[in-house]
Amino acid sequence: LIVEREMGESIVQERTREMMNHNGDNVYWMIDGDFNLQDDKKVEELVKIVEELDIELLVFDLFSSIARLKDENDNAEVAPIMDKILDKFVNGGKKIDVIFIHHPAKSSEGDVMRGAGDILGKSYVAYVLSKEEEDGTLINMKCIKHRWHAPKAFQMNYVTNSQGQYKFQYLGEKNKDDKASNIANEIISLIQEF
């Protein structure tokens, strides 16, 4: 179930057509201009929808729009929203996966999440997607947080087939040639020797 606040209905219809090859996967869209994570009644309605449709993956696009925060940099305001997501959907309730789309801090190269520390702190996994090619067809994907293990950065292509449907194509691990990676590799090698 994709809870949408970033795009209008016409763009959602276009995206839905692009996803038609997944129509057997029960993909649902919820476009509700009044939905926000601070409204307990709306959240309970969403919990019922998730249960009734047997949803296994919930996507919030865009987190800041759906959270309706006055100050996204305020941990005291962000913490209850993150707790609600965890309590109602991830650790409690139906226990499903939740993805939320969120922008990085403007001053960073994508490694720093915008807003309060609780956004990243209470997330189980966080990935950063960045375009390497100007046309957006080559995308770098880097894990900046993972509670269990940190997967290596990788690249993928963003391509369309002859029917105009979008597809991601895995291109393998991204080779990093920077000092931090070189030092990390040296440390790992030394540890493995002992």
Side-chain angles (χ1 to χ4, degrees):
L1 173 63
I2 303 167
V3 180
E4 183 57 59
R5 289 281 321 236
E6 181 75 356
M7 299 180 292
E9 190 172 341
S10 62
I11 296 174
V12 170
Q13 288 176 351
E14 179 183 327
R15 295 260 170 105
T16 303
R17 281 191 300 276
E18 293 164 358
M19 294 174 69
M20 286 311 288
N21 58 331
H22 298 288
N23 65 356
D25 298 337
N26 297 329
V27 177
Y28 301 93
W29 294 81
M30 185 176 110
I31 306 168
D32 182 350
D34 293 331
F35 180 80
N36 72 80
L37 289 167
Q38 298 206 31
D39 184 335
D40 290 338
K41 184 179 176 189
K42 290 282 188 181
V43 172
E44 287 306 319
E45 289 172 8
L46 182 60
V47 168
K48 287 179 185 170
I49 291 169
V50 164
E51 290 170 354
E52 288 172 9
L53 295 176
D54 196 26
I55 300 297
E56 295 177 6
L57 174 65
L58 180 61
V59 179
F60 292 124
D61 185 16
L62 183 72
F63 175 74
S64 56
S65 297
I66 291 171
R68 296 270 178 96
L69 301 167
K70 292 177 187 156
D71 182 2
E72 69 178 10
N73 296 307
D74 182 0
N75 271 326
E77 189 177 353
V78 169
I81 298 296
M82 295 301 294
D83 289 342
K84 194 177 293 186
I85 292 170
L86 292 171
D87 293 343
K88 296 289 183 182
F89 303 106
V90 179
N91 299 328
K94 195 168 178 298
K95 297 186 179 180
I96 62 173
D97 293 316
V98 175
I99 295 174
F100 60 85
I101 314 303
H102 192 58
H103 293 298
K106 291 183 180 180
S107 61
S108 77
E109 291 184 16
D111 290 359
V112 178
M113 193 175 284
R114 191 171 96 186
D118 261 11
I119 298 172
L120 180 61
K122 291 187 177 177
S123 295
Y124 286 17
V125 179
Y127 282 95
V128 173
L129 280 72
S130 59
K131 295 182 216 173
E132 185 154 312
E133 301 289 334
E134 219 28 62
D135 64 359
T137 57
L138 183 60
I139 299 170
N140 294 319
M141 192 154 180
K142 178 181 178 185
C143 181
I144 60 171
K145 178 180 181 181
H146 202 293
R147 288 203 183 214
W148 301 280
H149 59 66
K152 294 187 178 182
F154 63 90
Q155 290 185 312
M156 59 187 171
N157 262 340
Y158 181 64
V159 296
T160 55
N161 64 17
S162 58
Q163 289 82 33
Q165 297 166 328
Y166 292 99
K167 177 180 163 185
F168 289 106
Q169 180 183 33
Y170 177 73
L171 298 176
E173 289 181 10
K174 176 153 175 55
N175 295 327
K176 282 184 71 177
D177 190 28
D178 60 24
K179 289 180 184 179
S181 291
N182 292 337
I183 291 170
N185 288 334
E186 287 179 31
I187 291 170
I188 290 169
S189 295
L190 287 171
I191 290 171
Q192 289 172 340
E193 287 178 20
F194 294 103

